[in-house]
Amino acid sequence: MGAVPMVPSMNLSVPTCALVIVAHPDDAEFQAGATLAKWARQGCAVHHLVLTDGSKGTWDAAADIGELVTQRRAEQFAASAALGGTGVEFLDHVDGELDADRATRAQVCAVIRAVRPQVVLGHDPWKRYRLHPDHRAAGQLCVDGIVAARDPFFHVDQLVDGVEPHRPDALLLFEADVVNHYERVDEADLAAKLAALEAHTSQMATTHFYKVGVGDPLERFRELQRDKLAALGADADAGSGLAEAFHLIVDQL
Ligand SMILES: [Zn+2]
């Protein structure tokens, strides 16, 4: 019946190909960077699909938005490289205006059918009390895109020139409303996650250093990221070490 297991699962087999679908540049790194780095190191092809252009990612009302978008695109490529990733694709919807409509679902579906990932990662569309509309829409698009991608009667116009439907083996939702799965990660994975997060230089003064507290902001930022993974590691079955947390769905795929 798809009930949430009482004991969370731990560590999927390393996939040969993973696709992470996010609203903005830096979301993948914050939510799943260490897991993606772990898999990439073991030979997984890690692809990013970024749905918006990141054009609202500044608190400077006088910022040149064209420059910001160009910079954030370059930062996302650098972050992917820091994780050992193999590709980044942007859909370039306007930041803050992402809709989970049928046309955008078709775009996500097309990428899933092209990349053919074993594991898809995305925002949990059912996360309660989340404010950002793009994160809700991106989660819905991820889930709906998977359903469409696997079925030959969704977006039939795409199924030409050798393009086939594709069914992933697993979906990992991050920012999960109900955590039922952990990926254990190590110091090297954390280091890669931090390097990838710090590649998003345009976000350092805002998102990254927001509420880091007293002290050197970069050191505090690194400590807080480590603390977060350590707390998740303590929550995980193992009880120690570092981890990232997800809601794993396999039974409806
Ligand atoms: Zn975001």
Side-chain angles (χ1 to χ4, degrees):
M1 293 291 287
V4 176
M6 295 302 289
V7 179
S9 55
M10 191 84 66
N11 291 350
L12 295 177
S13 317
V14 176
T16 55
C17 179
L19 173 66
V20 58
I21 300 173
V22 289
H24 309 111
D26 84 10
D27 288 335
E29 288 65 55
F30 270 113
Q31 302 297 337
T35 298
L36 296 172
K38 174 179 76 168
W39 289 347
R41 238 171 343 105
Q42 296 179 70
C44 175
V46 172
H47 294 262
H48 282 63
L49 174 61
V50 182
L51 301 179
T52 76
D53 59 7
S55 56
K56 289 189 176 56
T58 180
W59 296 348
D60 175 6
D64 181 321
I65 296 304
E67 276 179 22
L68 176 68
V69 167
T70 302
Q71 183 181 352
R72 295 200 72 186
R73 179 177 289 262
E75 290 169 357
Q76 184 63 75
F77 279 102
S80 166
L83 297 178
T86 48
V88 183
E89 196 166 334
F90 289 84
L91 293 188
D92 287 325
H93 289 274
V94 175
D95 192 345
E97 301 178 14
L98 186 65
D99 288 322
D101 56 22
R102 202 178 305 170
T104 312
R105 180 185 76 187
Q107 293 180 308
V108 172
C109 170
V111 172
I112 294 170
R113 285 171 169 174
V115 172
R116 311 190 74 73
Q118 279 186 304
V119 177
V120 176
L121 305 93
H123 303 268
D124 182 348
W126 301 287
K127 169 79 170 177
R128 281 171 286 187
Y129 312 126
R130 178 177 40 209
L131 298 187
H132 204 302
D134 287 348
H135 289 190
R136 292 196 299 270
Q140 199 66 56
L141 286 162
C142 174
V143 170
D144 296 355
I146 286 173
V147 171
R150 70 194 186 191
D151 192 310
F153 296 105
F154 279 79
H155 307 304
V156 175
D157 58 301
Q158 295 175 359
L159 300 173
V160 292
D161 299 329
V163 175
E164 301 272 357
H166 177 71
R167 185 182 292 271
D169 298 330
L171 169 60
L172 286 176
L173 299 173
F174 42 71
E175 308 180 273
D177 198 68
V178 176
V179 169
N180 70 354
H181 180 84
Y182 292 92
E183 286 291 327
R184 238 180 274 171
V185 295
D186 65 15
E187 292 296 331
D189 306 323
L190 172 62
K193 177 184 178 110
L194 289 173
L197 281 167
E198 290 166 29
H200 294 282
T201 51
S202 68
Q203 304 303 295
M204 298 298 273
T206 55
T207 312
H208 289 29
F209 294 167
Y210 181 57
K211 293 184 176 174
V212 291
V214 180
D216 176 69
L218 183 56
E219 287 311 313
R220 285 291 300 146
F221 173 73
R222 290 171 176 166
E223 277 172 24
L224 290 171
Q225 292 302 316
R226 164 183 288 281
D227 290 351
K228 197 178 294 180
L229 267 53
L232 293 171
D235 289 344
D237 202 29
S240 65
L242 307 173
E244 288 177 327
F246 303 93
H247 188 95
L248 170 65
I249 295 178
V250 293
D251 58 351
Q252 298 171 68
L253 299 179

